[in-house]
Structures are given as structure tokens and as C-alpha cells.
């Protein structure tokens, strides 16, 4: 059975490219990308013993012609329904729901929908580089958002020049993309739609009965540890905090460390000590 369009099996794609046989995974990670990105953002996580799936938002890659979702909650519910109907659902492999930046808000809603609407409880909710709704940003005095007001005003969303400046300061986008008008004409409308969804999302979902792992880069100026701590209400299990050396996008450079943290915090007792 093929995966729904809202989910991309990145592990299966890797096996098709390499011809490697399928192996029984010890961990399954359902990943939500940041604003402007696609499911393929998470290819760096693929490893033989980890089943990696990416949530595919409308308007990009295989969903290029699909219209934007009306809300972040709708986006998450669509992915939750697809995951709950997948052939691997409930097969006993620990399921981690992971989101970065805007994807952290999607992940929180997705994990909640999985448990409360579909009866599929994640083993871990992992949220990276995103302030919880209702918290204040570092030094801004305004609602914080790893995808928003830190360096980008809401009234600048319609300005291509402001978006490019913001992306350049955030890091993670190749300069070749930022300097190419044709690529920007494709990328910026998707980014702008995502940012509007992210900025409009102002609620915490019903908490999941799972551990919570909070992640951020040590030099990430878009979100502080206090703003991330607001996510503690999104889960009822133990809370773990990890900081990786880097800015807003540190996860790829710390892949093995990240996977080890996910596995440890999703373990039966989730007793991984804080670093």
C-alpha cells in the first residue's frame, strides 16, 4: 500500500535509490518540516534502523498544485488521519512525532490528534526551535515565533525583499537559491503562506500522554529556552531539554546525537537524564 500524499516515506525512497533491503526499524519518526520546506527536509535522518516519514504540506514537491491549508490545525489533522490509516500504524515500533520551527506547532497538533481522535499514542513528542503559543520572544515584547516576529514584522510578509533578508539572517537556505529570481518566485509564495499559518496559530492542543523533548540551537536568536518551556503543557510525561551547538537549524549537523536522544527519551521509562 502506498503512503497518502500528505506523508512521504523517506526511508522507502532511500531504499529505492540504493537498492538496500528493508530492515526492521527500532524507531519510527514522523517529521514536520519548518515553514517553506518540504518533507525532504528530513532526509538527513534516514538510517537503516530508523523509519523516517515526512509530512508533506500543500504547495510543494508532490503536492505542488494543492492549495494551502486553511489552518495549521487542519494541516495536522490531515497528516494524523493519514498516519493512523498507514499499514505500519500500531505495529509496536515506538512512534516519535518531531517538528522543527513551524513544524513544531504542527507536530504538537498532530500528536494530539493521533492520540485523542485516532487512538494512536506517540511514544515521544519532540519540538524544536519554536516558541509555544502565548509566550514572549527574546527582547521583542511580542508573541515569539521561530518562524515569525524575530527579525520579521507581520507587515513585512508581503515584501519579497524582507523575506529574503529574513531567510538570509536565519541561515539554512543556500545563497544560490536566495540570489535566483526564478527559484524565489517558486519558494516565496509557499513560505509566505506557511508564515501566515504559523503566526495565526495561537493555541495549545490537548496534551498527549507521552514524554516531551524540547530542542534548540545554542545560538538561536529566534527563540529562548523560556519561550520553549511553554510547550510543557502539550504533554503529561517527563520533560527533557537538549541544546545542540548551532543557530536556528542545528539538527542536521547533530543527526546521530539527535537520533540517540529521540531513542532514549522514547524508551519504556523515558528516564534519559538531562545534559
Amino acid at each position: 500500500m502506498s503512503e497518502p500524499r500528505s506523508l512521504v516515506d523517506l526511508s522507502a525512497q532511500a531504499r529505492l535509490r540504493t537498492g538496500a533491503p528493508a530492515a526492521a526499524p527500532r524507531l519510527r519518526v514522523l517529521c514536520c518540516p519548518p515553514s517553506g520546506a518540504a518533507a525532504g527536509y528530513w532526509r538527513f535522518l534516514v538510517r537503516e534502523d530508523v523509519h523516517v516519514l515526512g509530512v508533506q504540506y500543500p504547495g510543494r514537491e508532490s503536492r505542488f498544485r494543492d492549495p494551502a491549508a486553511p489552518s495549521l490545525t487542519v494541516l495536522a489533522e490531515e497528516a494524523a488521519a493519514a498516519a493512523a490509516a498507514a499499514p505500519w500504524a500500531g505495529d509496536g515500533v515506538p512512534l516519535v512525532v518531531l517538528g522543527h520551527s513551524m513544524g513544531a506547532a504542527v507536530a504538537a497538533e498532530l500528536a494530539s490528534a493521533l492520540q485523542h481522535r485516532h487512538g494512536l499514542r506517540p511514544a515521544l513528542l519532540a519540538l524544536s526551535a519554536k516558541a509555544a503559543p502565548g509566550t514572549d520572544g527574546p527582547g521583542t515584547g511580542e508573541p515569539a515565533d521561530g518562524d515569525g516576529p524575530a527579525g520579521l514584522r507581520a507587515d513585512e510578509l508581503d515584501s519579497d525583499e524582507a523575506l529574503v533578508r529574513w531567510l538570509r539572517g536565519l541561515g539554512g537556505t543556500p545563497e544560490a537559491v536566495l540570489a535566483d529570481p526564478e527559484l524565489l518566485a517558486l519558494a516565496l509564495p509557499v513560505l509566505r503562506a506557511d508564515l501566515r499559518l504559523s503566526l495565526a496559530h495561537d493555541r495549545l492542543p490537548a496534551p498527549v500522554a507521552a514524554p516531551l523533548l524540547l530542542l534548540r540551537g545554542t545560538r538561536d536568536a529566534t527563540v529562548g529556552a523560556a519561550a520553549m518551556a511553554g510547550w510543557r503543557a502539550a504533554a503529561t510525561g517527563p520533560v527533557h531539554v537538549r541544546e545542540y551547538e548551532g543557530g536556528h537549524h542545528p539538527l542536521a549537523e547533530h543527526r546521530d546525537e539527535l537520533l540517540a536522544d529521540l531513542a532514549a527519551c522514547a524508551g519504556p521509562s523515558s528516564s534519559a537524564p538531562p545534559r
Side-chain angles (χ1 to χ4, degrees):
M1 181 185 297
S2 61
E3 297 290 344
R5 282 158 53 84
S6 57
L7 294 182
V8 177
D9 191 328
L10 299 172
S11 293
Q13 287 186 349
R15 290 195 301 272
L16 283 173
R17 288 195 301 270
T18 64
R26 64 183 175 87
L27 193 68
R28 178 170 289 115
V29 189
L30 182 55
C31 307
C32 305
S35 60
Y41 175 89
W42 296 101
R43 284 194 179 92
F44 70 88
L45 271 186
V46 172
R47 210 167 68 176
E48 184 180 279
D49 59 345
V50 179
H51 185 193
V52 181
L53 299 111
V55 174
Q56 190 72 288
Y57 306 151
R60 65 214 78 192
E61 289 187 349
S62 59
R63 303 188 66 189
F64 181 77
R65 298 188 182 278
D66 291 358
S71 70
L72 192 145
T73 305
V74 169
L75 193 68
E77 171 54 34
E78 179 186 56
W88 44 261
D91 66 359
V93 176
L95 174 64
V96 173
V97 180
L98 167 65
H100 177 69
S101 205
M102 171 186 129
V106 179
E109 292 283 351
L110 170 52
S112 181
L114 281 174
Q115 177 178 330
H116 298 292
R117 297 180 196 169
H118 300 282
L120 187 64
R121 184 169 64 86
L124 175 68
L125 174 60
L127 307 178
S128 170
K130 171 77 172 176
T135 57
D136 288 335
T140 66
E142 297 183 6
D145 192 326
D147 290 315
L152 182 70
R153 299 192 313 270
D155 61 2
E156 292 180 311
L157 283 180
D158 289 326
S159 166
D160 288 357
E161 192 173 293
L163 285 179
V164 170
R165 183 177 66 248
W166 176 75
L167 283 171
R168 186 172 280 120
L170 204 61
T173 304
E175 186 61 32
V177 173
L178 298 178
D180 189 319
E182 292 185 0
L183 290 178
L184 287 175
L186 294 173
L188 292 185
V190 172
L191 173 64
R192 188 174 285 116
D194 286 353
L195 289 173
R196 289 202 166 101
L197 283 185
S198 183
L199 290 168
H201 189 69
D202 60 358
R203 55 162 248 176
L204 282 169
V208 293
L212 176 67
L213 174 60
L214 300 176
L215 306 162
R216 67 180 291 271
T218 56
R219 300 190 306 277
D220 188 354
T222 71
V223 58
M228 288 212 62
W231 287 113
R232 290 172 181 263
T236 61
V239 178
H240 308 286
V241 178
R242 300 286 187 268
E243 291 196 350
Y244 303 136
E245 179 65 27
H248 188 62
H249 293 283
L251 301 183
E253 295 179 4
H254 297 273
R255 184 195 76 156
D256 291 343
E257 190 177 355
L258 171 61
L259 286 173
D261 285 337
L262 296 178
C265 294
S269 63
S270 185
S271 58
R275 290 200 184 108

